[in-house]
Amino acid sequence: MAFKEYLRSKMEKAFPPSSLDPDALNDPPPPYVLPAEFRQAGIQEDELEILRDYNTVMIVDDSGSMESLWDQACRALATLAIVASRYDTNGIDIHFLNHRKAGKHLKSPEDVEELFESVSPCGPTPLGECLERVTIQLLKDLDKGKSHRKTNYIVITDGRPTDDAESAIVQIARRLDKAGATLSQLGIQFIQIGSDSHARSFLESLDDDLKEKYSIRDIVDTEPYVEGEVTAARLTKLLLGGINRKIDRSS
């Protein structure tokens, strides 16, 4: 897998051989340096501080059409795990649409690689069922009046759902309203990879139409058709953009 060479280079940069020298064990750790791809994308370290206030949950489309994009998604999330763990001690969670195996509190590229190697893309795109599954505990806690950390669900997909994702999102929004949750409690951000025009139209309709159509809160943001390779920096810019738009709507 080409990702192994990528992972090795990342780890060598993060942990150079000199850092493992027994004589240097008592030295203070080197200052944190934001990965070059983040700096090149214009992301400033202080912009990332807002991630401390949120749980980040990635939902990855593992349908058959994602096979050619699997290594790309793995690389992006491996780097994102390193950066996210700097600002969120819980790390990131990764769920898949079809496979029930999930990664909880991932903080290292090895954790992400191990998870992705255990999953083979195949099957349909059951987005609605997955959203219901991954939000159920948060919604139950809110129903009981328990506080819950603000959570962003980032969905990486290349196609249109094969189930009724719209109804699932509407029910989630209504339960948030019923529980009196803050507007920033939960957000779902769709990031489309690939150029399927039907998928693009559907995802845009989730973003643009649901609030007025069903008289519910706006919990969806969509970034249709990400051209070129999906990287950790690009995912993070989109994540930050979604958070900032949510804050703007709440104020």
Side-chain angles (χ1 to χ4, degrees), residues 1-11 67-76 78-79 109 113 116-117 229:
M1 186 178 184
F3 179 70
K4 290 186 181 295
E5 287 70 26
Y6 170 85
L7 173 62
R8 187 178 300 110
S9 68
K10 283 286 183 185
M11 295 305 294
E67 185 174 4
S68 64
L69 299 166
W70 204 239
D71 283 359
Q72 183 182 138
C74 183
R75 287 194 298 270
T79 302
E113 181 194 15
F116 268 72
E117 286 188 337
E229 183 168 348

Coordinates of all heavy atoms in Angstrom, one line a residue, residues 1-11 67-76 78-79 109 113 116-117 229:
M1 N 0.9 -1.2 0.0 CA 0.0 0.0 0.0 C 0.9 1.2 0.0 O 1.8 1.4 0.8 CB -0.9 0.0 1.2 CG -1.9 1.1 1.3 SD -2.9 0.9 2.8 CE -4.1 2.3 2.5
A2 N 0.6 2.2 -0.9 CA 1.5 3.4 -1.0 C 1.4 4.2 0.2 O 2.3 4.9 0.5 CB 1.0 4.2 -2.2
F3 N 0.3 4.0 1.0 CA 0.2 4.8 2.2 C 1.3 4.5 3.2 O 1.6 5.4 4.0 CB -1.2 4.6 2.8 CG -1.4 5.3 4.1 CD1 -1.6 6.7 4.1 CD2 -1.5 4.6 5.3 CE1 -1.8 7.3 5.3 CE2 -1.7 5.3 6.5 CZ -1.9 6.7 6.5
K4 N 1.8 3.3 3.2 CA 2.9 3.0 4.2 C 4.1 3.9 4.1 O 4.7 4.3 5.1 CB 3.3 1.5 4.0 CG 2.2 0.5 4.5 CD 2.7 -0.9 4.4 CE 1.6 -1.9 4.9 NZ 1.2 -1.7 6.3
E5 N 4.5 4.2 2.8 CA 5.6 5.1 2.6 C 5.3 6.5 3.1 O 6.1 7.2 3.7 CB 6.0 5.1 1.2 CG 6.7 3.8 0.7 CD 5.8 2.6 0.6 OE1 4.6 2.8 0.4 OE2 6.3 1.5 0.7
Y6 N 4.0 6.9 2.8 CA 3.6 8.2 3.2 C 3.6 8.3 4.8 O 4.1 9.3 5.3 CB 2.2 8.4 2.7 CG 1.5 9.6 3.3 CD1 1.7 10.9 2.7 CD2 0.6 9.5 4.3 CE1 1.0 12.0 3.2 CE2 -0.1 10.6 4.9 CZ 0.1 11.8 4.3 OH -0.5 12.9 4.8
L7 N 3.1 7.2 5.4 CA 3.1 7.2 6.9 C 4.5 7.2 7.5 O 4.7 8.0 8.4 CB 2.4 5.9 7.3 CG 2.3 5.6 8.8 CD1 1.6 6.7 9.6 CD2 1.7 4.3 9.1
R8 N 5.4 6.5 6.9 CA 6.8 6.5 7.4 C 7.4 7.9 7.3 O 8.0 8.3 8.2 CB 7.6 5.5 6.6 CG 9.0 5.3 7.1 CD 9.8 4.2 6.3 NE 9.1 2.9 6.4 CZ 8.6 2.4 5.3 NH1 8.6 3.0 4.1 NH2 8.0 1.2 5.4
S9 N 7.2 8.6 6.2 CA 7.8 9.9 6.1 C 7.2 10.9 7.1 O 7.8 11.7 7.7 CB 7.5 10.5 4.7 OG 6.2 10.7 4.4
K10 N 5.8 10.7 7.4 CA 5.2 11.6 8.4 C 5.8 11.3 9.7 O 6.0 12.3 10.5 CB 3.7 11.3 8.4 CG 2.9 11.9 7.2 CD 2.8 13.4 7.4 CE 2.0 14.0 6.3 NZ 1.9 15.5 6.4
M11 N 6.0 10.1 10.1 CA 6.5 9.7 11.4 C 7.9 10.2 11.6 O 8.3 10.6 12.6 CB 6.3 8.2 11.7 CG 4.9 7.8 11.7 SD 3.9 8.7 12.9 CE 4.6 8.2 14.5
E67 N -13.8 2.8 -3.9 CA -12.6 1.9 -3.9 C -11.3 2.7 -4.5 O -10.2 2.7 -3.9 CB -12.8 0.7 -4.7 CG -11.6 -0.3 -4.6 CD -11.9 -1.6 -5.3 OE1 -12.9 -1.8 -5.9 OE2 -11.0 -2.5 -5.2
S68 N -11.5 3.4 -5.6 CA -10.4 4.1 -6.2 C -9.9 5.3 -5.3 O -8.8 5.9 -5.5 CB -10.7 4.6 -7.6 OG -11.8 5.5 -7.6
L69 N -10.7 5.8 -4.4 CA -10.4 7.0 -3.6 C -10.1 6.6 -2.1 O -9.8 7.5 -1.3 CB -11.7 7.9 -3.5 CG -12.1 8.4 -4.9 CD1 -13.5 9.1 -4.8 CD2 -11.1 9.5 -5.4
W70 N -10.0 5.3 -1.9 CA -9.8 4.8 -0.5 C -8.5 5.3 0.1 O -8.4 5.8 1.2 CB -9.9 3.3 -0.5 CG -10.3 2.8 0.9 CD1 -9.6 1.9 1.6 CD2 -11.5 3.0 1.6 NE1 -10.3 1.6 2.8 CE2 -11.5 2.3 2.8 CE3 -12.6 3.8 1.3 CZ2 -12.5 2.4 3.7 CZ3 -13.6 3.9 2.2 CH2 -13.6 3.2 3.4
D71 N -7.3 5.1 -0.6 CA -6.0 5.5 -0.1 C -6.0 7.0 0.1 O -5.4 7.5 1.1 CB -4.9 5.1 -1.0 CG -4.6 3.6 -0.9 OD1 -5.2 2.9 -0.1 OD2 -3.7 3.1 -1.7
Q72 N -6.6 7.7 -0.8 CA -6.6 9.2 -0.7 C -7.3 9.6 0.6 O -6.9 10.5 1.4 CB -7.3 9.8 -1.9 CG -7.4 11.3 -1.9 CD -8.1 11.8 -3.1 OE1 -8.9 12.8 -3.0 NE2 -7.9 11.2 -4.3
A73 N -8.5 9.0 0.9 CA -9.2 9.4 2.1 C -8.4 9.0 3.3 O -8.4 9.7 4.3 CB -10.6 8.7 2.1
C74 N -7.8 7.8 3.3 CA -7.0 7.4 4.4 C -5.8 8.4 4.7 O -5.6 8.7 5.9 CB -6.4 6.0 4.1 SG -5.5 5.3 5.5
R75 N -5.1 8.8 3.7 CA -4.0 9.8 3.9 C -4.5 11.1 4.5 O -3.9 11.6 5.4 CB -3.3 10.0 2.6 CG -2.5 8.9 2.0 CD -1.5 9.4 0.9 NE -2.3 9.9 -0.2 CZ -2.7 9.2 -1.3 NH1 -2.4 7.9 -1.3 NH2 -3.3 9.7 -2.3
A76 N -5.6 11.6 4.0 CA -6.2 12.8 4.5 C -6.5 12.7 6.0 O -6.2 13.6 6.8 CB -7.4 13.3 3.7
A78 N -5.5 10.5 8.2 CA -4.3 10.2 9.0 C -3.6 11.5 9.5 O -3.3 11.6 10.6 CB -3.3 9.3 8.2
T79 N -3.5 12.4 8.5 CA -2.8 13.7 8.9 C -3.8 14.5 9.8 O -3.4 15.2 10.7 CB -2.5 14.5 7.6 OG1 -1.6 13.7 6.8 CG2 -1.8 15.8 8.0
P109 N -1.6 8.5 12.9 CA -1.8 7.9 11.5 C -1.8 6.4 11.5 O -2.6 5.8 10.7 CB -0.6 8.5 10.7 CG 0.5 8.8 11.7 CD -0.3 9.3 12.9
E113 N -4.7 4.2 9.7 CA -4.3 3.2 8.7 C -4.8 1.8 9.0 O -5.4 1.1 8.2 CB -2.8 3.1 8.5 CG -2.4 2.1 7.4 CD -0.9 1.7 7.5 OE1 -0.2 2.0 8.5 OE2 -0.4 1.1 6.5
F116 N -8.6 1.7 8.3 CA -8.9 1.6 6.9 C -8.5 0.3 6.2 O -9.2 -0.2 5.3 CB -8.2 2.8 6.1 CG -9.1 4.0 6.0 CD1 -9.3 4.8 7.1 CD2 -9.6 4.4 4.8 CE1 -10.1 5.9 7.0 CE2 -10.4 5.5 4.7 CZ -10.6 6.3 5.8
E117 N -7.5 -0.3 6.7 CA -7.0 -1.6 6.2 C -8.0 -2.7 6.5 O -8.1 -3.8 5.9 CB -5.6 -2.0 6.6 CG -4.6 -1.1 5.9 CD -3.2 -1.6 6.2 OE1 -3.0 -2.3 7.3 OE2 -2.2 -1.4 5.4
E229 N -7.1 16.2 -5.2 CA -6.9 15.3 -4.1 C -7.5 15.9 -2.8 O -7.3 17.1 -2.5 CB -5.5 14.9 -3.8 CG -5.3 13.9 -2.7 CD -3.9 13.3 -2.7 OE1 -3.2 13.5 -3.6 OE2 -3.6 12.7 -1.7

